[in-house]
Amino acid sequence: MDHFGITCVRGHSIDEVLSRLNVTDQAPYPLCTPEEALQRFGPGEMTPAVRVCRSGEWVFLLDVDAHGELLQPSVLTGLSLGTEAVSVWYLMAGTTRIVHAQDGKVMADFDAWAVHLTSGADTSRIDRALTDVGFFREDEDDYEDDWSASAMALVALEREFDLTLSPDVAKGALPAVSLQHLRG
């Protein structure tokens, strides 16, 4: 996968998450596969959109085309009010970024491009999760040939936050919404 964006919000309904994103005026939401959503909304960061589903106690917002709009602190902290939200974004070997927010506050903001520095109110949870899957090694030779920051970031978040989403669900037709209003 050469690019993706996934944002997860714990414990709220899909309707509540879409309300927090101010997109309820788009209902009824079209059901789209990844390919159909890309055709409907267009490619690139200039036309941000997400497909939405629930798995376990999490609502998943799957970028139609990796745009990173949900990583904005104002957006992610709004989604996290009264709960927590975590977002991971990867763009074509450029960077992998993770932001974790809880109850309206950015707890951790990690950018693999920035020498693996994590900032935020409490980075310990993200730092631990990333360390457990092999980030922050001293020597570049310590990395396996097939190691990738994006794949390891997904594994770290799956383990730390108990995130599971079936590939069949992710590939299926899901409600889709435009996030154009987030572009400001």
Side-chain angles (χ1 to χ4, degrees):
M1 194 179 271
D2 60 358
H3 63 286
F4 63 83
I6 302 170
T7 300
C8 305
V9 182
R10 185 191 300 266
H12 288 301
S13 68
I14 289 175
D15 289 340
E16 173 63 23
V17 171
L18 294 177
S19 177
R20 289 178 182 214
L21 286 173
N22 296 315
V23 296
T24 55
D25 62 332
Q26 296 179 39
Y29 312 110
L31 296 178
C32 300
T33 64
E35 296 79 19
E36 292 166 342
L38 193 56
Q39 288 177 339
R40 182 181 193 104
F41 297 102
E45 63 187 51
M46 298 308 289
T47 56
V50 293
R51 296 168 52 248
V52 185
C53 65
R54 183 171 189 85
S55 181
E57 62 181 325
W58 292 90
V59 170
F60 285 73
L61 302 161
L62 309 171
D63 287 7
V64 169
D65 200 22
H67 50 73
E69 293 296 328
L70 297 175
L71 289 168
Q72 293 180 55
S74 62
V75 176
L76 200 63
T77 57
L79 290 172
S80 78
L81 289 171
T83 189
E84 68 181 322
V86 63
S87 189
V88 59
W89 177 71
Y90 171 69
L91 188 61
M92 299 171 72
T95 191
T96 300
R97 188 161 167 223
I98 299 169
V99 180
H100 173 231
Q102 189 168 348
D103 203 21
K105 183 187 295 184
V106 173
M107 302 306 288
D109 187 337
F110 169 81
D111 188 340
W113 188 258
V115 195
H116 306 304
L117 297 177
T118 309
S119 61
D122 182 359
T123 65
S124 61
R125 188 172 182 189
I126 294 297
D127 285 342
R128 179 185 64 245
L130 292 171
T131 298
D132 288 350
V133 297
F135 272 88
F136 311 122
R137 295 191 178 159
E138 295 293 324
D139 187 352
E140 291 292 322
D141 293 333
D142 288 343
Y143 292 105
E144 306 277 330
D145 288 340
D146 62 348
W147 188 93
S148 81
S150 62
M152 292 299 99
L154 287 172
V155 169
L157 296 182
E158 287 172 357
R159 291 177 182 173
E160 184 64 29
F161 294 94
D162 194 26
L163 299 171
T164 55
L165 182 62
S166 154
D168 290 338
V169 170
K171 292 176 186 173
L174 300 172
V177 296
S178 169
L179 299 177
Q180 189 65 36
H181 68 286
L182 296 179
R183 300 242 357 113

